[in-house]
Amino acid sequence: MSISGLFLCTFLVVHVVGNLQLFKHDQGAAFNAYSHFMGTNPIIRTIEWVLVLGFGFHIYEAFALVRRNKAARGHGYAQWKAEQNSEWTSRNMGLLGTIILIFLIVHLYNFFWRARFGGLEKIGGDNPEISDYDNLYLAVVSSFHIWWYVLLYVAAQISLGYHLWHGFRSGFQTLGLNHRKYMPVIKYAGYVFSVVVSAAFASMPLYFYLFTNEQGELAANAPSLIHAVTSAF
């Protein structure tokens, strides 16, 4: 459980860094080029299967861990005051994981499935080198203008933040790295990691929903600070 979880943390870093291409003011050229590379490079395609296995194993182990814990206890507690014995995140990892799983299914269908098996528009244009690229940028921007999808996306990122906050430090503890000298650093690193990653992901749908039109162009009412920050990309 801990090894698969920490492995998936590396995927989150790669994924969020790549998705930052969305903020470039180039009508999606950089993001579409990045998406095309990720979808056609044979090494990346091979790693995708490793990633799928990682997700599958992590989800399976979550259910198996719950069953093993219940079986080991044998019967319910006569008196149970959970808030005195554990943190909210540890008691609700199942709920947080379920929200993330629901989002993941919708997210994969909306982007990954359509990109791999058709359903996306082509870029077109006069440049033959990129004219047959899928216009995934347009699909992303369109989705980020659907209120319920934005709500689901942000809720999933909040859940991800809490999930990472507990899972990151618990993963190191499970691997036997629970040392009084190093654990405070691991806890702090886990807190920073969970906040930065989840906030970065959540900022994407919020940015497009609040400050751009359905073509991804900044709206006239977008604050000047937004113009300055996105221009830096």
Side-chain angles (χ1 to χ4, degrees):
M1 185 71 175
S2 60
I3 291 174
S4 60
L6 293 174
F7 165 71
L8 293 175
C9 285
T10 63
F11 158 74
L12 290 175
V13 173
V14 174
H15 195 47
V16 75
V17 170
N19 282 5
L20 289 176
Q21 306 296 320
L22 287 167
F23 291 114
K24 287 192 174 181
H25 279 193
D26 58 0
Q27 290 75 51
F31 180 75
N32 283 328
Y34 157 75
S35 301
H36 182 77
F37 170 79
M38 297 295 286
T40 57
N41 184 278
I43 297 177
I44 301 298
R45 295 298 298 274
T46 302
I47 295 175
E48 278 183 1
W49 287 105
V50 179
L51 185 62
V52 169
L53 291 174
F55 270 109
F57 186 75
H58 192 70
I59 294 169
Y60 168 79
E61 276 297 306
F63 286 106
L65 185 61
V66 171
R67 289 198 302 269
R68 287 196 295 267
N69 287 342
K70 288 184 177 180
R73 189 165 61 238
H75 56 81
Y77 293 106
Q79 187 177 15
W80 174 245
K81 295 182 179 180
E83 65 280 359
Q84 297 180 3
N85 298 284
S86 59
E87 296 181 352
W88 183 90
T89 51
S90 65
R91 300 194 306 273
N92 291 277
M93 286 294 278
L95 172 63
L96 298 171
T98 300
I99 295 174
I100 296 170
L101 180 59
I102 293 172
F103 163 76
L104 188 62
I105 293 172
V106 176
H107 190 64
L108 286 175
Y109 170 76
N110 199 31
F111 299 125
F112 180 83
W113 182 270
R114 292 168 64 194
R116 291 293 183 272
F117 303 104
L120 295 177
E121 295 182 16
K122 299 295 183 180
I123 293 177
D126 299 327
N127 189 342
E129 294 183 1
I130 64 171
S131 61
D132 63 337
Y133 284 14
D134 288 329
N135 198 342
L136 190 59
Y137 176 80
L138 182 61
V140 170
V141 173
S142 298
S143 297
F144 286 169
H145 278 85
I146 302 173
W147 69 268
W148 65 263
Y149 186 78
V150 173
L151 186 63
L152 173 62
Y153 201 109
V154 173
Q157 302 320 308
I158 294 173
S159 300
L160 176 64
Y162 280 111
H163 196 81
L164 290 173
W165 163 231
H166 175 75
F168 190 91
R169 53 186 172 147
S170 296
F172 282 95
Q173 181 174 333
T174 302
L175 294 174
L177 300 176
N178 188 13
H179 191 281
R180 61 181 181 180
K181 181 177 180 180
Y182 306 113
M183 205 59 191
V185 177
I186 292 174
K187 286 183 178 180
Y188 180 76
Y191 175 76
V192 173
F193 179 80
S194 60
V195 170
V196 170
V197 169
S198 57
F201 276 123
S203 69
M204 298 172 192
L206 291 173
Y207 164 75
F208 284 97
Y209 187 78
L210 295 174
F211 303 119
T212 75
N213 57 28
E214 294 189 0
Q215 284 70 48
E217 300 169 346
L218 278 175
N221 61 344
S224 57
L225 179 60
I226 298 295
H227 285 271
V229 172
T230 55
S231 297
F233 283 88

